[in-house]
């Protein structure tokens, strides 16, 4: 059985791509809910309902392990899903924790008390729903003390990226970074807390300046998935092909995904 990778749209492809690079033999089933993108401007109940529905779809396709390659779903829905919905023989992992472990200099499973870390001024760029959830600050506080997090909700950026309007998206990155720097003039590090944003990582880096370390989520999630699968080899079958599905129009999404990732992508209708 393949590992399921879910996002509201194209953004999770940055995780899909990093996982394919690191684990080329791992069969993957990508699902983009392009019909309902963006999630980041929806309310918590709506995000929960859509995430549950799409995760169930991936379970029904034979995935035992699903990665929510969507920070909005991870921040808003995952905790509630883990507490009351996920069947005992299935696993759902989010993309938040690998980022937080990197910021807080921890390895997986290190549950020791929160401690001081090198980064004290941290910028977070994410969707309005992720920022409103404060899930990043909550998870970070379990692992690190003394980190000031300044969060910038980047309204409109996912829509621009889904439409492949890079000129608009770049202008938005500059204005969101400028807004954040007015409140936190010297961040040491920045987290791109939305899987759509790594496509514009170079623009964030340029706007923030060379002294700011920008955390790259795809690479961190791929490394933590490899580690997880070594500990849980039963979560994946040896054989199988990798496929990409969408709740939207398969032809349109294939064109958009090819432009988004800069390599040929073929989507089928879910
Ligand atoms: N890629 C998503 C995330 O990481 C999506 C956001 C959205 O649909 O607004 O948050």
């Amino acid at each position: 059985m393949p590992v399921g990778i879910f996002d509201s749209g194209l953004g999770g492809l940055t995780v899909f791509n990093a996982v394919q690079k690191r684990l080329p033999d791992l069969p993957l089933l990508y699902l983009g809910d392009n019909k309902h993108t963006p999630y980041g401007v929806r309310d918590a109940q709506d995000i929960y309902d859509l995430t549950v529905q799409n995760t169930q779809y991936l379970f029904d396709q034979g995935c035992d392990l699903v990665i929510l390659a969507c920070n909005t779903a991870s921040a808003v829905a995952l905790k509630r899903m883990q507490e009351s919905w996920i069947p005992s023989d299935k696993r759902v992992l989010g993309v938040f924790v690998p980022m937080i472990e990197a910021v807080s200099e921890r390895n997986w499973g290190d549950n020791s008390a929160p401690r001081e870390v090198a980064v004290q001024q941290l910028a977070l760029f994410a969707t309005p729903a992720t920022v409103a959830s404060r899930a990043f600050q909550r998870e970070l506080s379990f692992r690190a003390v003394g980190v000031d997090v300044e969060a910038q909700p980047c309204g409109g950026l996912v829509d621009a990226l889904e439409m492949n309007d890079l000129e608009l998206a770049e202008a938005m990155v500059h204005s969101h970074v400028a807004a954040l720097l007015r409140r936190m003039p010297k961040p040491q590090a920045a987290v791109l807390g939305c899987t759509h944003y790594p496509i514009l990582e170079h623009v964030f880096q340029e706007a923030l300046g060379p002294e700011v370390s920008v955390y790259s989520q795809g690479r961190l999630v791929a490394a933590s998935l490899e580690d997880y699968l070594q500990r849980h080899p039963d979560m994946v079958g040896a054989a199988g092909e990798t496929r990409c599905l969408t709740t939207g129009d398969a032809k349109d999404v294939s064109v958009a995904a090819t432009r988004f990732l800069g390599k040929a992508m073929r989507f089928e209708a879910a």
Side-chain angles (χ1 to χ4, degrees):
M1 63 259 178
V3 171
I5 299 189
F6 168 68
D7 183 44
S8 62
L10 302 177
L13 290 174
T14 58
V15 172
F16 172 88
N17 209 22
V19 170
Q20 272 205 319
K21 274 192 191 140
R22 188 164 187 122
L23 303 166
D25 298 327
L26 181 69
L28 303 174
L29 184 58
Y30 185 87
L31 175 63
D33 190 11
N34 299 78
K35 189 171 168 188
H36 299 109
T37 197
Y39 279 16
V41 290
R42 292 175 181 273
D43 67 30
Q45 184 63 42
D46 214 5
I47 293 167
Y48 177 82
D49 291 341
L50 288 167
T51 306
V52 162
Q53 188 184 315
N54 285 291
T55 305
Q56 182 64 54
Y57 180 85
L58 287 167
F59 288 161
D60 294 343
Q61 301 303 303
C63 302
D64 284 344
L65 171 63
V66 171
I67 298 176
L68 300 183
C70 174
N71 291 271
T72 307
S74 303
V76 176
L78 182 57
K79 194 162 172 280
R80 186 171 158 199
M81 288 165 78
Q82 284 167 335
E83 282 165 0
S84 59
W85 180 77
I86 301 169
S88 58
D89 57 338
K90 307 284 186 194
R91 289 288 176 275
V92 180
L93 303 176
V95 284
F96 245 51
V97 169
M99 292 283 266
I100 288 167
E101 284 174 343
V103 172
S104 59
E105 305 156 22
R106 277 174 191 249
N107 291 323
W108 193 91
D110 174 356
N111 291 325
S112 57
R115 54 179 181 256
E116 282 189 16
V117 295
V119 174
Q120 280 150 12
Q121 299 269 300
L122 181 67
L124 169 68
F125 297 94
T127 66
T130 299
V131 171
S133 77
R134 296 188 61 80
F136 187 87
Q137 289 90 330
R138 184 190 67 221
E139 291 295 327
L140 186 64
S141 72
F142 296 145
R143 297 166 176 86
V145 288
V147 186
D148 279 345
V149 178
E150 189 62 56
Q152 176 66 28
C154 300
L157 189 49
V158 166
D159 307 68
L161 287 167
E162 285 282 323
M163 289 182 311
N164 272 302
D165 189 340
L166 290 184
E167 208 176 314
L168 174 62
E170 287 187 20
M172 282 181 161
V173 169
H174 281 282
S175 98
H176 287 305
V177 169
L180 182 129
L181 292 178
R182 281 197 288 275
R183 304 193 303 274
M184 178 180 273
K186 286 199 179 304
Q188 292 156 293
V191 165
L192 305 188
C194 170
T195 52
H196 282 74
Y197 302 171
I199 291 295
L200 296 178
E201 187 175 329
H202 60 289
V203 183
F204 276 98
Q205 184 73 71
E206 186 190 290
L208 285 160
E211 57 292 331
V212 180
S213 318
V214 177
Y215 284 86
S216 161
Q217 195 165 37
R219 195 176 40 77
L220 294 170
V221 172
S224 103
L225 176 63
E226 181 176 37
D227 183 53
Y228 182 87
L229 291 175
Q230 275 160 6
R231 287 178 286 109
H232 302 274
D234 51 307
M235 277 290 151
V236 63
E241 52 163 351
T242 288
R243 292 165 65 211
C244 294
L245 305 179
T246 176
T247 58
D249 181 282
K251 232 184 186 167
D252 292 351
V253 172
S254 300
V255 172
T258 299
R259 278 206 218 119
F260 183 78
L261 269 193
K263 71 178 198 188
M265 296 296 299
R266 194 174 70 83
F267 274 76
E268 302 162 52

